[in-house]
Each structure stands twice: as C-alpha cells, then as structure tokens.
Amino acid sequence: MFRTAELGQKIPKHEFKEKAPLLRQDLLTVQQRLLQLKKFPVIIVFAGVNGAGKGETVNLLNEWMDPRWLITRAYDKPSTEEQERPEFWRFWRDLPPKGHVGLFLSSWYSRPLLDRVHGKIDEVEFNDLLDRVINFERALTDDGALILKFWMHLSKTDQRKRFKVLEKDPLTSWRVTQEDWDNWRIFDQFEENAERIIMRSSTGDAPWSIIEGADPNFRSLTVATIIRDEISKKLEAQQKQDQAAALAKTGASAARKTAARKTGANKTNPPTEAGESLSLTQLKQSTVLDMLDMDTKLTKDEYKQQLQAYQARLNELHRKALKKKVSTILLFEGPDAAGKGGAIRRVVAALDARHCRVIPIAAPTDEESANHYLWRFWRHLSRAGKITIFDRSWYGRVLVERVEGFAAEHEWRRAYAEINDFEQQLTDSGIVLMKYWIHITKQEQLDRFNARKEIAHKQWKLTDEDWRNREKWEDYEHAVNDIVEHTSTRLAPWTLVEGNDKRYARVKVIESLCSSLEQALKHNVKSWNRH
Amino acid sequence: MFRTAELGQKIPKHEFKEKAPLLRQDLLTVQQRLLQLKKFPVIIVFAGVNGAGKGETVNLLNEWMDPRWLITRAYDKPSTEEQERPEFWRFWRDLPPKGHVGLFLSSWYSRPLLDRVHGKIDEVEFNDLLDRVINFERALTDDGALILKFWMHLSKTDQRKRFKVLEKDPLTSWRVTQEDWDNWRIFDQFEENAERIIMRSSTGDAPWSIIEGADPNFRSLTVATIIRDEISKKLEAQQKQDQAAALAKTGASAARKTAARKTGANKTNPPTEAGESLSLTQLKQSTVLDMLDMDTKLTKDEYKQQLQAYQARLNELHRKALKKKVSTILLFEGPDAAGKGGAIRRVVAALDARHCRVIPIAAPTDEESANHYLWRFWRHLSRAGKITIFDRSWYGRVLVERVEGFAAEHEWRRAYAEINDFEQQLTDSGIVLMKYWIHITKQEQLDRFNARKEIAHKQWKLTDEDWRNREKWEDYEHAVNDIVEHTSTRLAPWTLVEGNDKRYARVKVIESLCSSLEQALKHNVKSWNRH
C-alpha cells in the first residue's frame, strides 16, 4: 500500500518555482467558484507519518489560498470544555459552512491510530471508533460535502533521516521529541494499523490519497493539484445537477438557456483544467513499475536448473496443500505479450491437472453482464485444496475498463474497496492469494510484437487491439500504480515481476508461489471450515 | 424499535379477499416492467422471529408472482461444497440477474444473530460479520440493485401462542422443535441483538422494514405492498435517469421524444400507484399512538401532590448529577398545543437555572442552513452535569420536513441512521437522553385551538400554520410511527405521553425523567472523561 509513496519522486527547485504560481492561481480560482456557488463545504484531512510534511503543507495552503474562506484546525488532547461533551463535538463545531474550505490536522483519525498502536484500546474499540469516523464522514458527504484525505508517507529510513536533519539544526532540534523516536521504533506497528485504517475508511465518497512526503516540492504540488482537481470536478458535477434540476422543472427550452448562461459564467471564471495547467499525471513522473530493474536476467543454465528445482518443490507443496485443504488462487495481469501465458504454463506443469484450473478472463458473457462484475469471479472459486489460476482477473475493472472508459469514474473508484473486501474474504477463508503483475518495457513489447508478425504460428496472437492498447501505455502504468497503492495490502500483496527476460519472470513466479505456500502450510492456517 | 410491530393490526378475511387480487395484479405488472427494463435485480431478504410468517410470506409471493423470474433461496448449515469456499460464495452464486427477483430466507443475517446469541462469536467477530454484510449489500446497491429487507416480528407472548397452536394440531406439531422453545426462553437476547443488527444495517440504500407478523392477512398485504411500491419507485427513478442520460447525449429535442415514448410505454403498463390500488398508509390503520389510553387523567389533588413530590425528587437528583457530572438532554416533540411548553416549565421549575438551558428550535438561521442539519444541535450540547432541553429537535427532519416535503425522501430516509448514530454518541459519552412525544387527540387539539381564540393573551400562539398542520394529522401520525420504529432503541427509547390531560402529562414527564436519572446515577455511568 505504501510502496507507491517510496519512489523517490522529486521536483527540482526551478521547476517548482515555475509551476507553483500557476497552481496557486488555479487554487484561488476554484476557491472563488466554490464560494460563489455556495453549495457544499470542502473538508480536507491530513494524516500520516510525522516528518512527512503535514504541517508544512497546511501552512503552504494557507499561504496560497484565500484565508478568509479557509479554516485550519489541529487537535491536541481534548480540553476540559471538550472532554465534557461527546468526542465528535469538537469536530462538528469546527466544520466549514457551504462554500468554505476546512483543513484538519491530527483530527478524527489520530485517536484510533495512536490508541491502538499504544494498546490503549482493543480491537472492538478500534473498530467502533472507525465505524464512528465512517458514519461521521458519510453523514457529511451524504449532505453534499467534499471530503479529501491525504496520508503523508515517509519510509522508516527517510523518517530517521528527517529527524536527524532536524536535530542537527539548533533552530529545529526542538521539533524532534523523545516520543517521536519512541514511535519511530514501532514504525511497523504504525504502518500496519495505518493500512487497516486506510482500507476501512477509503470509501468511494471520501477516499484517501497516499502522498510521498520526502520531497517538499513534490508533495506540495501533488496535494495542491489534487485539491484543485477534485474541487473543480465536484463544482462541475454540481452545476450539471443544478442544470438537470432546472431542466426537469422548467422544461427543456428554458434549461437550454440556463445551460448557455452557465457556460457564459464559466468563461469569466475559466475552468482550471485547461491545457496549460499542471496535471497530476505530469506530476507523477514515476510509478512503482519504474522501481523494477528490467535488466534482470537468468542464463539458460541457471534457468533450467532453477525451474526444475522450484517445479519439484511446488509439486510437493501442492500435494501437501491438497491434503490440508488449503486452496490457492493465482491471478496474472500485465501488458500484452508480457509472457503471462508462458508463466502460467510453467506453473501448471508442476501441478496435478485434476486439481487445477486455468480461467481465461475475456469480455463477459451475457449472463455475466447481467450480474455484478464480481459475480463471474465468485462463481469460479474452486473447492478446498485446489488451485485456480486467473489469466487476467477482477482487476480488469480498474485497468482496461478504467483506461478505455468502459467503467465510469465512480464505478472504478469504488472498485478498489470492493476488491479489497473480496480478497479479504478469500484470505480470511484460508485461501493463498497470489497477485502477479508481469511487466515488460514498451520497447520490449514492440520487439515481441514484431517477432510475432514474423512467426506464422504466433500471428493470431497479435490483434489491432494490441496496437491500440500500446498507445495508452502511460495510462496503464498509472493505473497499475493506483492498483498497487490501493490494493497491495499485507494480506494480499502484489508481486511485481520483471518480465523482459522470460526465464527470470517464470522462475520468480514459481519461486514466490512456493514461498507463500510454504508459509501458509507452516502456520496454523485459518481453516476453511471455520463457518 | 419493535413496539410498532405489536399493535395488533389485523385485516379481516373479506377485506383480504377483496384486496389481494388487485395487489397480485399489481405485483405481476411491476415484475413485467422490471423484466422489460432489465436494468437492476431485486433482492428481498426475510428475517425475524420464528413463527412470524417468513416462510409463509415467501410461499405466498411465489404463488402471486411469476415464478419464471423469481428465485427463492433458503440456507441451512453450509454443505461441504459451500464450506470449502469463503462464506459468501453461496450468496453470490444465488444472486438474481438484472430484471429478476430473488427471495432470501435465513440468509446472511442468520449467522451473525444466531452465533452471537448462542455465544459462539464475540463482539469483534459479530461486528466483523456485520461489516461484511454491509459491504456485500453496498457492493450490490452501488451496482444498482434494489435491496428490500423485512424483519418479521412477533411479541414474546404471541410467539408462545403461535407455538401452542401449532403443537395442538397433529399436522403441524412437527414444526415446533425443542430448539424453538429453547430460543423462546432467551427471546430478550434475540431481540436485543436483532435491534443492534437492524440499527447497524439499516442503511439508506438497503433499509429494514419491521413487519407485524401476528396476522397473516395483514403481514401478507403489507409485505406485498411495500415490494410493489419500492420496485415501482426504483423503476421510475431508473427511467428518469435514462431519460436524463439520453437528454445529455442527444440534446433536448430528441430526449423529449424519448420522454414521450416512455410515457406511452407507461400507458400500456399502467403505473400501479393508481388511486384504486391499495396503499401502505391505508393498510396501516393503527400507529403506536393508537396504543395510548388518551383518557388517562389525574385529579387536581393528585396532581398537586405528585407534582410536588416528583419536583422535589428531581431537584435532588439534579444536584447529584451536577456533582457526578452526568449531563441530561431532554427533547420534546408533539402536535401543536399538546402542552410541550407547559411540561417544560414544570421541569425547569425544579432545576437550578444556572445549570439548565431551554433551546427552542424554529426555522434554522442563515448560518445553520449553511451547515449540516445536525450541526445546529451539536453546537448546543452543554458542559458536563448540565441539563439541556430542546423544544422541538433534530426530529424535525423526519417530521415536519418529511411531511411538508422540505426534505427529499432520500434525505429524511437516511436521517434515521444519522440520528441513531448521533444519539448513540450522546449516550456513549454518558449523557442521559430523554425523548418525549406528548400526544393529544385531534378533537382535543381543536378544543384547545378554539379556547386559544377566546383568551386574549393566548391568541398569539395560534397561527394559520397551526390550522394547516392539522390537515396533515394522519401524515404526522404515520411519521411518528416510523420514528418510533426506527429510533426507539434500547439506548434511547421514546417516551410517549398521553397529553389530553395536561396534569397527567406533566407528572409523567417528570416521573420518567426522575426514574432515568436515578438509574443513570446508580449504575456506573460511562464517564464523559473516557476519551
């Protein structure tokens, strides 16, 4: 989940200086439009790792935006005034009215996280607190509020570095306390509980964005861009809704006039998504895929030897799993010609064909279309002990359907939570779930496409669609990055496979499968007959 | 919560025979429209007390509706096939496709309830199971599904009667098992956990309806009417949405044609909400208010004596509560001229004015309108130990705003859950919450209005609005019934006060306040300084 925020993304000073003024202007413009429309409040929550720039970002936004319509609130231990009321009283009290923006620091997410990490509350209380938070946010979004949540992240190493830097300078050394160091020592516990909080509370209406906090320039521009874009989007949706309502009320002809007027109004306040403006995609130059060393290779001999060894090991584990009734699900995603099929065949070769099934996922059948998009995957879940391999999977919703526009934005956005929930049910019931993204570079794909053209028996594999998909290469890479951000959880992590060398990829797939199976069989697996 | 399902509502046989055929025709018509549109599935869940007619109702619907587009599923202990998959696999497998209707018996709500009552799962697991259920339903409703949930209720006494009747007849005696009797003995535990389940899972998109199950005719007609109305409503919303989409796509003029065509289509399949059809309001002849004995009275002497005694007691408890920092909130609702003001004055007379505040709730101020409707109540929560009295309250949302159409249906529907959540936060923080509905009969109100006209210093109390509100008397009574159904919980029950005799009403208010305060001060109150 946090891997996407440890990419080392940076914005050089000159670039920041060039881009910041434009963005600042944009922010002021949307703030003005928000105030004019006066239809909904904007609630922005900052949480995350200490030292990742929560406070600095809030200060910057205060500098960049119009402070008259901006409320900033940070919360410490409750005052006696506050203690004497229900816990959320202080948050309700501070909510921005319609047309205004509120920035919230160490707010309603602080207590669940801190108290859980320090063992002050148990699981029941932790879940109750999260329920309360979710209900609170839902009451606000149902009423029209826009809620944006930023999780500012630093890796454990980066946090230490940051503390050291602060401590060195006598002017900032006071900012690092003993408590900070104590918390640093239990960084992993923070991260684990943070992941649970983010998964639970990342609802379709109030999702989290995880921000790489190491570079101030990068994080500032990213946060500001998201705020600008999300407010703009909501403003437009609101205007469309108002137009539709007017249409329904006054009949079509009058509404056309309204629409014309509205468009006119937009001209005096130009929409900020114009081409010159900074976009989030431009900003995020790197994705998790850039962290892969695509030159990793195996020699023919290494390959032969390792493949054989791991296949033998896999076969043994497979038989044990059958006996213990531990099911396994593998899913493969990746660009066209990444070698998914080849990898799958090497896995299957080590398995008992009676206990293993490969499900190729193409366009849904009529029956499948008439059901929920997850239904077609539920129906293929196999009996205990078996292995099911999905060649492409439920991630189609947030990959091809997203990039090609087959799913509306609100549909694919909420799919992350739905998928996490689905996968949690799989792992909860004791299933070993392996998720592989086999990656190749754009050049490698081109070489493979060209090679396919040459070889008669591989020509059928190459379609016009493959060439079309190539044009959206960068969109797919960003989609993959979002997938890892939202769905690579402790229970169901993604395995990213360097696929330029087919041999290396195949061995890595089988090797990681073996090691997960080994883990699962060693531990006291949550039994499938729990219910 | 279940009081509204213990009113003894009945439909005589001849009335049933007369109404059933029409309703049946209606159901077939909506089923046809559903199938033609083929845009969403309908998922109907039955749960509740054994003997309250779950199975019979499902059988009846199978008889009345077209079985080709109807799936019925009941679940027992999971089969080995099912045990070997995640728990929800069997439910996913059975979901109806778009255009079809699914009836589900002893489904996803069975295990949480049974396992919790029998102590097989703890609080954490109970909450996790409910979360799963809520996520499951949300995934379906987000995808467009219509989910209707019926909780069939019998009182403890009625359940015993029902079992006895079944046992007497040799043909049905097998239906009552030892387990049924064992469960009957822990009826209260079932009810308590059922209430929690209903509160948690009654979301705006998938709400529960609580059905009085004692009379087969009444429950059958009620369930069938709700099914017909909710499917109709959703069909219309869907058609409107399709029209709006067409409008956006093809421009207004083309859309007008579509709209005209759609209207035409409706003519061949007449909308079933036509005047001749049975409506839910006609069906529910009684409300909880009919259970009140409106003739209850106190003599002048009784009144004097009791009022004095209880006021003295209240004053004593009030001082104790101040010391212990136990806050109290009272809210008063009721028809115009019911005597809310008079009752409040008698309460206040017993209190220390420095520690007590009366908040009259009228139309919201500008500032209040620019915020969430609950915000104006949050801001008035007082410090520990104090008493706050709301003259009218947050229930305005589901009373006047509902009846007068100031709030849209989706707004007031979700308000029940929001209010329950709000009140739970109050009681969780140790506040004693008293909710009073002071009731008078329509005739009594008329007498009081006329009396006001006569007395000069009371004339100002009578406005045109009062007379207008009178015209919607029955709508208000149904709204009150729904309030009690959805928000009279163990933690925050409603006190319904017979108000035709002002003396009796005032004494009852103070008496019940004393007894709740006593309870709260005796028990180890959850302390406000918990956080």
Side-chain angles (χ1 to χ4, degrees), chain B residues 202-383:
Chain B
S202 226
T203 56
D205 284 330
W208 281 99
S209 303
I210 300 178
I211 305 293
E212 177 157 6
D215 178 56
N217 293 342
F218 176 76
R219 75 182 178 226
S220 305
L221 292 185
T222 308
V223 169
T225 305
I226 294 177
I227 293 176
R228 179 201 64 188
D229 292 350
E230 293 301 316
I231 300 181
S232 286
K233 218 190 295 167
K234 175 97 179 171
L235 282 166
E236 265 148 53
Q238 183 70 50
Q239 282 179 341
K240 261 190 205 154
Q241 201 183 313
D242 292 354
Q243 283 169 27
L247 211 78
K249 227 181 215 166
T250 61
S253 71
R256 257 188 311 223
K257 276 184 220 154
T258 319
R261 200 161 5 94
K262 286 273 160 89
T263 321
N266 276 351
K267 267 176 198 148
T268 49
N269 285 324
T272 54
E273 306 70 23
E276 342 88 59
S277 283
L278 186 66
S279 86
L280 199 61
T281 332
Q282 287 165 1
L283 203 57
K284 288 196 176 174
Q285 290 292 350
S286 334
T287 70
V288 273
L289 297 173
D290 298 316
M291 304 299 279
L292 300 178
D293 177 3
M294 297 303 288
D295 294 330
T296 333
K297 270 190 176 55
L298 286 185
T299 66
K300 224 173 188 172
D301 281 347
E302 285 171 329
Y303 174 62
K304 255 195 184 167
Q305 194 197 338
Q306 293 188 23
L307 184 71
Q308 227 172 13
Y310 282 120
Q311 281 184 332
R313 181 87 190 106
L314 177 57
N315 184 270
E316 191 186 329
L317 290 162
H318 172 46
R319 278 179 289 130
K320 262 197 201 161
L322 262 172
K323 224 180 268 168
K324 283 206 175 186
K325 299 212 170 194
V326 173
S327 302
T328 307
I329 291 177
L330 286 78
L331 70 85
F332 289 84
E333 295 280 359
D336 297 315
K340 296 184 291 293
I344 290 174
R345 279 195 301 279
R346 298 321 182 276
V347 172
V348 170
L351 305 175
D352 181 340
R354 289 169 305 167
H355 301 299
C356 148
R357 244 185 348 152
V358 179
I359 318 273
I361 298 296
T365 65
D366 280 4
E367 198 192 353
E368 287 169 346
S369 298
N371 280 286
H372 192 279
Y373 79 96
L374 280 176
W375 181 81
R376 59 195 294 221
F377 303 105
W378 274 101
R379 69 191 295 212
H380 285 306
L381 298 187
S382 63
R383 301 192 62 165

Side-chain angles (χ1 to χ4, degrees), chain A residues 149-216:
Chain A
K149 301 186 286 196
F150 295 100
W151 192 273
M152 314 293 283
H153 181 75
L154 274 187
S155 69
K156 191 173 178 181
T157 330
D158 279 346
Q159 196 187 27
R160 190 181 50 193
K161 266 190 217 154
R162 170 97 178 122
F163 285 168
K164 293 273 184 205
V165 170
L166 288 173
E167 276 183 338
K168 248 188 190 162
D169 185 339
L171 283 173
T172 56
S173 64
W174 60 273
R175 291 184 53 190
V176 184
T177 63
Q178 185 54 41
E179 198 188 338
D180 282 333
W181 281 114
D182 290 345
N183 284 338
W184 180 80
R185 256 163 233 116
I186 48 171
F187 190 93
D188 292 339
Q189 286 170 53
F190 270 95
E191 206 171 72
E192 191 187 325
N193 285 291
E195 185 183 296
R196 291 174 57 201
I197 288 178
I198 293 171
M199 268 179 72
R200 267 299 284 292
S201 60
S202 228
T203 56
D205 283 330
W208 281 98
S209 303
I210 299 178
I211 305 293
E212 177 157 6
D215 178 56

Side-chain angles (χ1 to χ4, degrees), chain A residues 235-444:
Chain A
L235 282 166
E236 264 147 53
Q238 183 70 50
Q239 283 178 340
K240 261 190 206 153
Q241 200 183 313
D242 292 352
Q243 283 169 28
L247 210 75
K249 227 181 217 165
T250 62
S253 73
R256 257 190 312 224
K257 275 184 220 151
T258 319
R261 201 160 7 94
K262 285 273 159 92
T263 322
N266 276 352
K267 265 176 197 149
T268 50
N269 286 323
T272 54
E273 306 68 23
E276 340 90 56
S277 283
L278 186 65
S279 86
L280 198 61
T281 332
Q282 285 165 3
L283 204 56
K284 288 196 175 174
Q285 289 292 349
S286 335
T287 69
V288 273
L289 297 172
D290 298 316
M291 305 299 279
L292 300 177
D293 177 3
M294 297 303 289
D295 294 329
T296 334
K297 270 192 177 55
L298 287 184
T299 66
K300 226 174 188 168
D301 283 346
E302 286 171 329
Y303 173 61
K304 257 194 185 166
Q305 193 197 338
Q306 293 188 23
L307 185 70
Q308 229 170 13
Y310 282 119
Q311 281 184 331
R313 181 88 192 103
L314 177 57
N315 184 271
E316 192 186 327
L317 289 163
H318 173 45
R319 278 179 289 129
K320 263 198 201 160
L322 262 172
K323 224 180 274 170
K324 283 206 175 184
K325 299 213 170 194
V326 172
S327 302
T328 307
I329 292 176
L330 287 77
L331 70 86
F332 289 85
E333 294 281 358
D336 296 315
K340 295 183 292 292
I344 290 173
R345 279 195 301 280
R346 297 325 182 275
V347 172
V348 170
L351 304 175
D352 181 339
R354 289 168 304 166
H355 300 298
C356 147
R357 242 181 354 148
V358 179
I359 318 274
I361 298 297
T365 64
D366 281 3
E367 198 192 355
E368 287 168 345
S369 298
N371 280 285
H372 192 276
Y373 78 95
L374 280 174
W375 180 81
R376 58 197 294 223
F377 304 105
W378 274 101
R379 70 191 295 211
H380 284 307
L381 297 188
S382 63
R383 302 193 60 166
K386 314 247 168 179
I387 292 189
T388 315
I389 301 176
F390 288 93
D391 186 353
R392 303 213 180 273
S393 68
W394 44 92
Y395 283 95
R397 189 76 164 192
V398 283
L399 279 168
V400 56
E401 290 189 41
R402 164 185 173 175
V403 173
E404 304 294 338
F406 301 150
E409 182 166 348
H410 66 271
E411 287 177 324
W412 61 258
R413 280 218 178 270
R414 70 166 178 259
Y416 296 123
E418 289 167 350
I419 287 173
N420 280 334
D421 189 60
F422 172 51
E423 292 181 351
Q424 201 188 332
Q425 292 188 60
L426 299 181
T427 54
D428 271 4
S429 76
I431 292 172
V432 178
L433 175 63
M434 303 297 295
K435 309 192 286 191
Y436 293 105
W437 178 268
I438 304 193
H439 197 60
I440 50 174
T441 54
K442 203 172 174 184
Q443 181 59 44
E444 176 69 22

Side-chain angles (χ1 to χ4, degrees), chain B residues 113-132:
Chain B
L113 180 61
L114 289 171
D115 284 5
R116 185 68 197 116
V117 169
H118 294 303
K120 284 193 200 156
I121 52 173
D122 61 18
E123 283 296 293
V124 184
E125 289 167 305
F126 181 67
N127 282 328
D128 284 353
L129 284 176
L130 283 183
D131 277 343
R132 177 141 302 162

Side-chain angles (χ1 to χ4, degrees), chain A residues 21-31 228 272 277-278:
Chain A
L22 278 174
L23 192 52
R24 203 169 158 172
Q25 188 50 53
D26 283 352
L27 275 178
L28 286 169
T29 312
V30 286
Q31 215 188 343
R228 180 202 62 189
T272 54
S277 283
L278 186 65

